[in-house]
Amino acid sequence: MKKIVCIFGTRPEAIKMIPVVSELKKNRKAFKTKVILTAQHRGMLDQVMDLFKVKADYDLNIMKRTQNLEYITTEVLIKIQEILRKEKPDMVLVHGDTTTTFAAALAAFYEKVPVGHVEAGLRSYDKFNPYPEEINRKLTDVLGDLYFVHTVSARRNLLKENVKSRNIYLTGNTVIDALKMTLRKKQGFINKEIGKLNFKKKIILVTAHRRENWGKPLKDICFALKEIIQKHDDVEIVYPVHPNPDVKNTAKKIIGKIRGIHLTGPLDYTDFVNLMNKSYLVLTDSGGLQEEAPSLGKPVLVLRKVTERPEAVRAGTVKVIGTDRARIVREASKLLSSRTAYMKMKKAVNPYGDGKAAKRIIKSIRRYFNRSY
Ligand code: UD1
Ligand code: UDP
């Protein structure tokens, strides 16, 4: 029996780690599973935990209204260390590239506990894009012992950094597991405003929250949305806004009262993916959406300079366009007006997984332990 501690703290980590936690818990004879939440996010994390009915064993509850990277890193490091000393796990699992991910992996390393990194090997090769995620994931991969990658290109990135190939497991991304679990559920909307949308119009789903987009880039994105809605009367824009005060205040100020633009709070994951499924187009700076939308056949315009997820770009459903106002308007207008351009991008591709990633991760962990003992 091996004790596995899963540590996560933000919305996307919860969405992508819960399939792993569920699968570990199904294997009760082989694994004792503990869940530690850093709660780097509070409300957005709780939404996901409640939806999937997962209970945590520990909750560090660290989120503050304004929190900087140093605060998150040190709080997580110190508080996780205490729990690891008490629990003495055989392995810690972390996910992705948040500051929770990196600090938890560092704490595990200090306690000499092997680290399994779910969604390892993503690289943009640009230190400040996305910031701080590119460095968080690189550091986590330095601290790691086994690596679950979603694509062969992520595997290649790790090999270039001299990670041993026997420690890399190609599993696919658990985001597709979560998506499949959720799309099976009922299709109505919990959020009343979303339920009342006119779905005969073309829905553009927008999310933007990244640190490197705070300030001018986010303002430009908002001005572009305003221009798009003024130019196209067959369109409705829905932007579930991240609760970070910097993001929320900017969005509210520029597009809070524009007809046809719906600013909502963070949507329940079920509402969000069902809305994405009914949308025409996605505009986002998120990482997870670049994986979910292509599998639903939705074109994505990425509001970033670079992406660490080149597979869907290569497949033609995702285009990286940056945050220049005129370019956003131009690219979105092209997809709204030209059926040929739209149909060229609208194809369901699934480079990131088949919904069985969590099962493969558990199988790989078993193999790892059989090998090491
Ligand atoms: C974090 C991650 C980012 C990830 C994103 C997913 C870091 C440095 N950043 O960014 O990689 O893509 O989560 O969403 O790890 N807040 C709330 N309620 C919540 C969540 C956040 O009010 O449920 C507000 C708080 O004011 C908080 C702020 O948002 O201080 C920023 O949260 P933080 O986790 O520091 O950064 P994110 O931009 O969410
Ligand atoms: N999401 C959600 N509700 C929302 C917006 C996003 O449930 O209102 C989900 C989305 O489906 C995806 C994840 O949250 O799985 C993406 O989170 P975010 O954009 O915050 O983080 P990133 O993917 O950029 O790390």
Side-chain angles (χ1 to χ4, degrees):
M1 169 85 89
K2 299 289 175 199
K3 189 190 273 187
I4 313 286
V5 167
C6 300
I7 307 177
F8 49 94
T10 65
R11 169 176 63 192
E13 290 168 83
I15 291 169
K16 292 169 168 184
M17 275 297 261
I18 283 173
V20 178
V21 171
S22 311
E23 217 37 64
L24 279 169
K25 288 196 169 177
K26 276 189 208 159
N27 286 266
R28 267 175 225 291
K29 284 194 183 142
F31 300 114
K32 188 169 173 55
T33 310
K34 295 270 172 173
V35 172
I36 307 179
L37 302 180
T38 65
Q40 176 181 332
H41 285 173
R42 186 71 276 170
M44 296 205 295
L45 177 70
D46 293 342
Q47 270 184 330
V48 183
M49 298 298 283
D50 292 347
L51 173 70
F52 289 101
K53 297 188 174 52
V54 177
K55 294 255 176 296
D57 298 283
Y58 297 90
D59 189 332
L60 309 185
N61 197 24
I62 69 159
M63 194 192 90
K64 291 201 298 191
R65 190 167 177 275
T66 49
Q67 56 190 13
N68 59 29
L69 300 174
E70 293 78 3
Y71 166 79
I72 305 169
T73 309
T74 50
E75 280 289 291
V76 172
L77 185 61
I78 289 165
K79 292 188 168 160
I80 292 286
Q81 181 208 39
E82 285 169 24
I83 302 172
L84 294 183
R85 284 193 179 167
K86 184 172 150 222
E87 289 288 345
K88 300 189 177 20
D90 297 291
M91 179 177 289
V92 158
L93 291 182
V94 293
H95 172 275
D97 53 20
T98 72
T99 296
T100 283
T101 315
F102 160 59
L106 184 59
F109 163 68
Y110 284 162
E111 293 306 308
K112 298 191 177 146
V113 180
V115 175
H117 188 193
V118 180
E119 200 183 79
L122 274 69
R123 299 288 182 268
S124 66
Y125 297 105
D126 181 335
K127 193 173 178 182
F128 291 103
N129 285 289
Y131 168 80
E133 291 81 3
E134 175 68 2
I135 296 305
N136 280 346
R137 57 195 171 218
K138 274 181 104 166
L139 294 172
T140 305
D141 285 334
V142 170
L143 297 163
D145 293 274
L146 71 169
Y147 303 83
F148 309 106
V149 296
H150 66 169
T151 63
V152 284
S153 74
R155 184 172 194 278
R156 217 175 293 129
N157 293 340
L158 290 174
L159 292 173
K160 271 196 273 179
E161 290 167 22
N162 297 322
V163 172
K164 286 196 183 85
S165 96
R166 67 199 295 253
N167 293 333
I168 307 173
Y169 298 92
L170 182 60
T171 59
N173 198 309
T174 56
V175 75
I176 308 296
D177 301 28
L179 190 65
K180 289 197 167 173
M181 282 157 74
T182 311
L183 277 175
R184 270 206 298 270
K185 294 194 177 139
K186 67 177 171 49
Q187 296 291 303
F189 291 102
I190 300 159
N191 184 294
K192 290 205 173 67
E193 198 180 344
I194 302 300
K196 278 193 251 157
L197 282 174
N198 179 359
F199 285 102
K200 287 193 186 114
K201 290 196 174 186
K202 292 172 177 159
I203 308 287
I204 302 185
L205 179 60
V206 181
T207 74
H209 68 83
R210 302 231 75 84
R211 269 180 165 71
E212 66 274 15
N213 279 345
W214 292 357
K216 187 177 180 305
L218 185 61
K219 283 185 189 157
D220 286 344
I221 293 169
C222 291
F223 283 120
L225 297 179
K226 196 169 160 184
E227 211 174 315
I228 292 168
I229 207 78
Q230 283 160 354
K231 282 194 168 149
H232 301 271
D233 55 11
D234 59 340
V235 166
E236 300 248 9
I237 295 178
V238 186
Y239 178 0
V241 183
H242 190 291
N244 183 322
D246 282 336
V247 176
K248 202 161 73 179
N249 295 340
T250 304
K252 265 195 177 162
K253 205 165 147 194
I254 303 173
I255 46 174
K257 289 194 182 111
I258 308 282
R259 211 186 154 88
I261 301 187
H262 307 266
L263 298 190
T264 70
L267 294 178
D268 205 83
Y269 181 61
T270 324
D271 270 5
F272 189 79
V273 293
N274 286 317
L275 175 62
M276 197 185 327
N277 206 23
K278 288 185 154 212
S279 297
Y280 181 83
L281 170 66
V282 175
L283 260 64
T284 190
D285 67 4
S286 152
L289 265 75
Q290 293 178 58
E291 297 154 349
E292 292 163 338
S295 82
L296 297 174
K298 306 296 169 185
V300 184
L301 297 176
V302 177
L303 309 167
R304 296 192 192 182
K305 285 191 182 134
V306 282
T307 184
E308 60 287 306
R309 293 168 168 89
E311 296 84 356
V313 177
R314 278 198 292 268
T317 61
V318 169
K319 188 168 181 185
V320 180
I321 64 166
T323 57
D324 176 72
R325 172 182 169 172
R327 174 133 198 237
I328 297 171
V329 176
R330 199 168 61 241
E331 298 281 358
S333 297
K334 192 163 100 188
L335 294 176
L336 289 165
S337 321
S338 158
R339 192 165 163 77
T340 322
Y342 183 74
M343 292 315 287
K344 227 172 124 188
M345 277 188 89
K346 182 188 162 50
K347 48 191 163 197
V349 292
N350 233 335
Y352 302 114
D354 59 1
K356 293 181 187 147
K359 275 194 175 23
R360 289 193 195 96
I361 289 171
I362 274 57
K363 224 167 127 184
S364 315
I365 296 174
R366 278 174 181 273
R367 277 193 9 221
Y368 172 84
F369 281 123
N370 286 341
R371 211 174 70 196
S372 344
Y373 290 88

